Amino acid sequence: MSATPQKNRASRRVLAAAAGLATVGALVAAMPAGAQERGHGHGKGHGHHAPARTVDVQLLSFNDLHGNLEPPAGSAGTVDETQADGTTKAVPAGGVEYLASSLRTARKGHPYSITAAGGDMVGASPLLSGLFHDEPTIEALNKIDLDVTSVGNHEFDEGATELARLQNGGCHPVEGCYEEGKTFKGADFPYLAANVTDEKTGKPILKPYTVWKKNGVKVGFIGVTLEGTPDIVTANGVKGLKFHDEIETVNKYAKELDRQGVKSIVALIHEGGAPASSSYNYDCDSPGAGDGVSGPITDIAKGISPKVDALVTGHTHQAYVCTIPDPAGNPRLVTSASSFGKLYTDTTLTYDRRTKDIVRTAVKGSGTASKHPAPANPVSANHIVSRDQAPATDLTSLIARWNTLAAPIANRPQGYITADINGRGSTAPEKPLGDLIADAQLEGLAPADKGGAVLALMNPGGIRADLVHKASGSEGDGVVTYGESFTVQPFTNMMNVLDLTGEQLVTALQQQVSGSNEASPKILQVSKGLTYTLDMTKSGADRVVTDTVRLNGEAIDPAKTYRVAMNEFLAGGGDGFAALGEGTDKLVGASDLDVFNDYLAAHSTADAPLAPPATDRITVVQ
């Protein structure tokens, strides 16, 4: 029985790709009415006889929701908060019932309020949303009154045709409508993809920008995803598409908006940075503007036209409200609100009716404010989506409705564990859940008729959650349900077994910490028997101590051929692992989720649950 929904998920990408880009043109033609000129106008507050010179426009933003409708479990459902005494506290946060309440409360008293997002609203979603191709999340975002979002890389997980359906509506082409008498209506907010074009026509597959209007106030939004999206999405997901430079694209459309008389512009950019602290309330402008943040977004921010007044970012799942000077040297806000709906950013943009632009003098009222007598603006801060507040009842009903449909599959036990087995929540290079997944893949693909694998490699980004011991529902503590295992591995990637030479294998290990992965290493999770030392005091490929790489105690022979199991994403060279894309004699096996669930069933019972594995395969020198 468990194979059916997984096969549907696995086949949907293939079917979408086979359908080609025939319907992509419909994205632009069939955008929601009024997508170019929007303004929910949350809240009231009219009554002024003569409009004031300036208007405070509230910008509420978040990013990387990833279909997390219910509060995320374990460490994935907390944010770090620095206390007055300097200590750090993990605070439970998230869940769309609470995100809706937080946003609705924040909008009160703000007649000019816009809600925007920085991409990855869907994709890599827990079962409650993923099982239904993320229709529940789009419904929830409609209820939350999202005004606009950029696309992220995960919006392309199922290809451009499926993204078109999420925007425009209609039932799934394979699985049909999920509720009798109900047709999925699609997003009533525009998805923006300024830097994603159709290879054949050269035109953006979605609107590049939109303009929010109310009472003469105009704010333009330009949306882009990271240029490197094809490197981190399966080939079928980006087939027929071209991804362009973020800076060049935003600057191009900022000029276009400016020519139209839209002087207030916000860029929604699905690319991000890494603050020096994981605390959401860390001051990344200490001691100087932007000193506490690094990563791709810093260079992007420095290159984006001064015509753009603020940058809402994402992708790295970090929390920051930073000031990075624009090319003219003026302070400009760059924000990100963690992930999974755990935070939202509240920014005040002061709009000048005469210039039609955002007043940008100083930012946040901190160190820079004393040098500028003008009011500090924009003012921005991240806020916790607390679970202590009353949940929004309409979102509670939405979750309950979809849970009823998902329950027969979601609640089925797959295995048993003695304690939390951390994956996403582990910051170590080698993660307990990574070891477990790699071992499951090796065992499932080791038989000669399944591929004859002698080792398995798992990409860390494909591990989307932890296995949490505490019950998520009525199943009891320590029970791993199908819904929980799905949340860990929601992509339903098909497993591949390939021939790699020892030299290619070592090169792949070096690519974890060199090339595109040098600044932010992607450490592959390895199956039992593969051991080596990672020396992080060195740089680039030298970080892998090649003479320590061993399989079952034997040194890797550069000339020997090894059968290696991995998911189809890695087998395609994803995440910068070009060496893995050179594998030959490919055999396609079961889905990664099937293999994982089979392993849990074979190695755990209620009386003999599975313990977290010891992480002793990669020796790290710091």
Side-chain angles (χ1 to χ4, degrees), residues 285 287-290 323 325 331 361-374 376-377:
D285 283 345
T323 309
T361 51
V363 178
K364 292 203 296 186
S366 58
T368 56
S370 60
K371 301 173 188 174
H372 300 272
N377 178 266

Side-chain angles (χ1 to χ4, degrees), residues 600-617:
L600 290 173
H603 291 272
S604 66
T605 64
D607 295 328
L610 197 63
T615 50
D616 55 4
R617 302 167 192 183

Side-chain angles (χ1 to χ4, degrees), residues 98-174:
Y98 304 106
L99 178 61
S101 291
S102 290
L103 295 175
R104 289 166 184 173
T105 299
R107 288 173 188 143
K108 289 178 181 174
H110 295 276
Y112 296 86
S113 184
I114 311 168
T115 303
D120 277 6
M121 295 295 96
V122 300
S125 305
L127 183 127
L128 178 60
S129 185
L131 187 64
F132 306 106
H133 301 281
D134 285 310
E135 290 181 20
T137 296
I138 299 298
E139 274 193 18
L141 293 171
N142 288 345
K143 286 183 180 293
I144 283 173
D145 284 331
L146 181 64
D147 286 297
V148 59
T149 183
S150 67
V151 293
N153 54 289
H154 283 284
E155 263 81 19
F156 294 93
D157 283 347
E158 296 186 36
T161 305
E162 175 62 5
L163 176 56
R165 189 182 74 88
L166 290 182
Q167 177 72 86
N168 302 321
C171 296
H172 192 269
V174 176

Side-chain angles (χ1 to χ4, degrees), residues 337-350:
S338 185
S339 62
F340 302 169
K342 293 181 289 188
L343 296 176
Y344 71 94
T345 313
D346 190 338
T347 302
T348 301
L349 302 170
T350 298

